[in-house]
Amino acid sequence: MAFLRIFLFVSLFSVAFSLENLDSHLLPRPLIIEYSENVESQLREIDDELRLRCASWRFAGEANNLNPWKTIPRECVEYVKEYMMGRGYVVDLETVSKEAGVFAKGVELNGDGKDVWVFDIDETLLSNLPYYSAHGYGHGLFDHVEFDKWVEKGVATAIEPSLKLYEEVLNLGFKVILLTGRSERHRSVTVDNLINAGFRDWHQLILRDSEDQGKSATIYKSEKRSEMEKEGFRIVGNSGDQWSDLLGFSLSVRSFKLPNPMYYIP
Amino acid sequence: MAFLRIFLFVSLFSVAFSLENLDSHLLPRPLIIEYSENVESQLREIDDELRLRCASWRFAGEANNLNPWKTIPRECVEYVKEYMMGRGYVVDLETVSKEAGVFAKGVELNGDGKDVWVFDIDETLLSNLPYYSAHGYGHGLFDHVEFDKWVEKGVATAIEPSLKLYEEVLNLGFKVILLTGRSERHRSVTVDNLINAGFRDWHQLILRDSEDQGKSATIYKSEKRSEMEKEGFRIVGNSGDQWSDLLGFSLSVRSFKLPNPMYYIP
């Protein structure tokens, strides 16, 4: 949007300049002022329309209406940046955490230690925003090598509203199972990162093993949930930032979709 | 928001007035001006925060994160009104219709006439916005008697982006089945309303029969979809404005959630 604005302003300056050169008395001053006011309001309209369309795109993603996508729309980069770095993302995280907490409190636990809440890790418990802010907020294809380097630093921060929910469900007596698309070879750095970020007492941490490579996240995670069920667990809640964390088979009683307009995992 | 603004302004006028009466020289003029600028910016901040929280609430609804609710939050009435009557709602309807169309075109139909697209009716094909705009946009409990009177007028208008999708899937060779929570006794007025709004050639129109009364929409609609499957239909697409149109069992291959921040049907 900023780019568009600058581009249009520069174009207009050239127009204004050429008009001045032609004949400074040709166009009376009030007309020029009116013209420039029109342009300002036109720019605002373009800005508003772009914001509306990018919000609509983001909504469609959160409601699982979008077809598979690889990068965010080029014209929405600024919008996504504003959302992720501003209050919008934080408030949305708080809302989903609060609703999940209300649901969790209303569940009557069996008391046999078999009631489970599943959490995804990236953009659910841990934030990779420093990585994505340095990589165009989802503009540009996902770079496995670069992202792995970031993961191996082990410095992702807690998503605070999720940490709050995490502690709530633990205190209510749920068993917590972490189910992530991260690779088994990142187990140790992931454990350290989670502990440093304040997470504790999970029952199990499931990462992608060699046999899970190549599977879609939906299939891999459904299979793992199916194994939990076979072990006698009841999957009551499931929190994830991707619909592939939540859909497929062996579904939870209730699932909670955390916001993430930066990337899509099938 | 407008109400809050007026209320705060009136309060401030009283404060300013009482100060004037006390001693007009007590507070130097520049201080008063600074004070009123602060108040303006404070009001803007409150406005922005409210807008953010209402947007977050709406998002949470579209992503199926909200716990069951009966009325929209009182402080979001103005926000929901602006959304429904402005470009936001239209753009969101266009986005979901476009994404559904892209998906539909990519489906390889079997050619045996058994590929089905299910549509809900209210707030999916037909708009009851005139009714809801006269009833606080979802503020206030749902009034069955009043709403039935509106339905019986048979004047609901087509949701244009949905009509476009409807015609697209028909042209692609899908069978269209309409599955609505409306009562069987409204069949005739519903058929007339649909035809007047431009809908045609549906394969079947399923309304709630006496035996379906009292069932949740999720169960009623799942049962009906299950019957379709037993008749050999493959439910490829499903469009609805409520998650209860889309979830439960006998799910479609892909479902599309139309926006609706005005009411929630379990």
Side-chain angles (χ1 to χ4, degrees), chain A residues 22-39:
Chain A
L22 236 156
D23 183 350
S24 60
H25 299 286
L26 201 69
L27 297 169
R29 276 181 164 271
L31 231 179
I32 293 175
I33 289 166
E34 202 177 65
Y35 182 60
S36 102
E37 264 175 7
N38 272 348
V39 167

Side-chain angles (χ1 to χ4, degrees), chain A:
Chain A
M1 276 169 277
F3 172 77
L4 187 70
R5 218 160 229 256
I6 291 159
F7 172 77
L8 283 176
F9 266 122
V10 169
S11 320
L12 284 165
F13 266 115
S14 337
V15 171
F17 195 70
S18 58
L19 285 175
E20 284 279 339
N21 276 2
L22 236 156
D23 183 350
S24 60
H25 299 286
L26 201 69
L27 297 169
R29 276 181 164 271
L31 231 179
I32 293 175
I33 289 166
E34 202 177 65
Y35 182 60
S36 102
E37 264 175 7
N38 272 348
V39 167
E40 253 299 300
S41 89
Q42 276 169 15
L43 281 174
R44 250 199 312 277
E45 269 173 37
I46 294 172
D47 242 38
D48 288 350
E49 183 67 18
L50 196 55
R51 189 174 295 273
L52 206 66
R53 297 216 164 259
C54 291
S56 188
W57 170 81
R58 180 164 69 89
F59 255 71
E62 297 304 333
N64 200 24
N65 287 332
L66 291 182
N67 291 293
W69 51 279
K70 285 195 190 303
T71 61
I72 67 174
R74 179 192 296 268
E75 61 273 25
C76 295
V77 174
E78 199 62 31
Y79 171 87
V80 169
K81 177 183 173 181
E82 269 177 37
Y83 170 73
M84 293 301 296
M85 304 306 279
R87 293 261 309 138
Y89 182 51
V90 175
V91 170
D92 282 348
L93 289 169
E94 284 169 357
T95 303
V96 63
S97 167
K98 194 181 125 249
E99 293 292 325
V102 168
F103 165 73
K105 275 188 211 76
V107 174
E108 210 166 307
L109 269 75
N110 189 292
D112 60 357
K114 292 290 192 181
D115 291 301
V116 160
W117 199 288
V118 175
F119 285 96
D120 166 58
I121 293 182
D122 291 300
E123 267 58 67
T124 299
L125 297 184
L126 295 180
S127 171
N128 300 304
L129 202 43
Y131 174 83
Y132 284 100
S133 70
H135 290 81
Y137 299 93
H139 178 59
L141 284 172
F142 183 69
D143 185 333
H144 285 277
V145 178
E146 280 300 301
F147 188 70
D148 277 2
K149 281 186 202 159
W150 158 259
V151 165
E152 284 153 18
K153 285 183 187 165
V155 294
T157 52
I159 290 181
E160 291 298 334
S162 296
L163 178 54
K164 192 164 165 278
L165 173 67
Y166 183 99
E167 286 171 346
E168 264 175 31
V169 301
L170 269 185
N171 290 337
L172 286 166
F174 286 94
K175 278 220 163 51
V176 164
I177 297 184
L178 309 182
L179 177 50
T180 174
R182 288 186 178 198
S183 163
E184 186 63 56
R185 71 191 168 85
H186 287 139
R187 177 176 289 275
S188 155
V189 72
T190 300
V191 167
D192 291 348
N193 198 154
L194 284 165
I195 288 170
N196 287 337
F199 298 95
R200 58 181 180 90
D201 293 342
W202 57 83
H203 174 70
Q204 204 184 348
L205 165 60
I206 305 171
L207 303 102
R208 258 186 208 257
D209 216 338
S210 52
E211 71 214 27
D212 304 314
Q213 304 300 334
K215 287 176 188 167
S216 74
T218 308
I219 296 297
Y220 155 64
K221 294 200 165 183
S222 293
E223 285 177 357
K224 293 299 169 187
R225 285 196 305 271
S226 170
E227 285 172 25
M228 295 174 207
E229 287 181 343
K230 278 177 200 138
E231 289 173 46
F233 289 115
R234 289 175 299 277
I235 308 169
V236 180
N238 186 2
S239 296
D241 67 295
Q242 299 289 320
W243 281 100
S244 53
D245 295 330
L246 312 174
L247 297 179
F249 50 92
S250 294
L251 303 185
S252 55
V253 176
R254 271 288 304 267
S255 67
F256 294 90
K257 168 70 176 75
L258 279 77
N260 185 357
M262 299 188 299
Y263 58 88
Y264 166 84
I265 300 174

Side-chain angles (χ1 to χ4, degrees), chain B residues 41 94 204 212:
Chain B
S41 89
E94 285 169 356
Q204 203 183 347
D212 304 315

Side-chain angles (χ1 to χ4, degrees), chain B residues 108-119:
Chain B
E108 209 166 308
L109 270 76
N110 189 291
D112 60 357
K114 292 290 191 181
D115 291 300
V116 159
W117 198 288
V118 175
F119 285 96

Side-chain angles (χ1 to χ4, degrees), chain B residues 85-133:
Chain B
M85 304 307 278
R87 294 260 308 138
Y89 182 51
V90 175
V91 171
D92 282 348
L93 289 170
E94 285 169 356
T95 302
V96 62
S97 167
K98 194 182 125 249
E99 293 291 325
V102 168
F103 165 72
K105 275 187 212 78
V107 173
E108 209 166 308
L109 270 76
N110 189 291
D112 60 357
K114 292 290 191 181
D115 291 300
V116 159
W117 198 288
V118 175
F119 285 96
D120 166 59
I121 293 181
D122 292 300
E123 267 58 69
T124 299
L125 297 185
L126 294 180
S127 171
N128 301 303
L129 201 43
Y131 173 84
Y132 284 100
S133 70

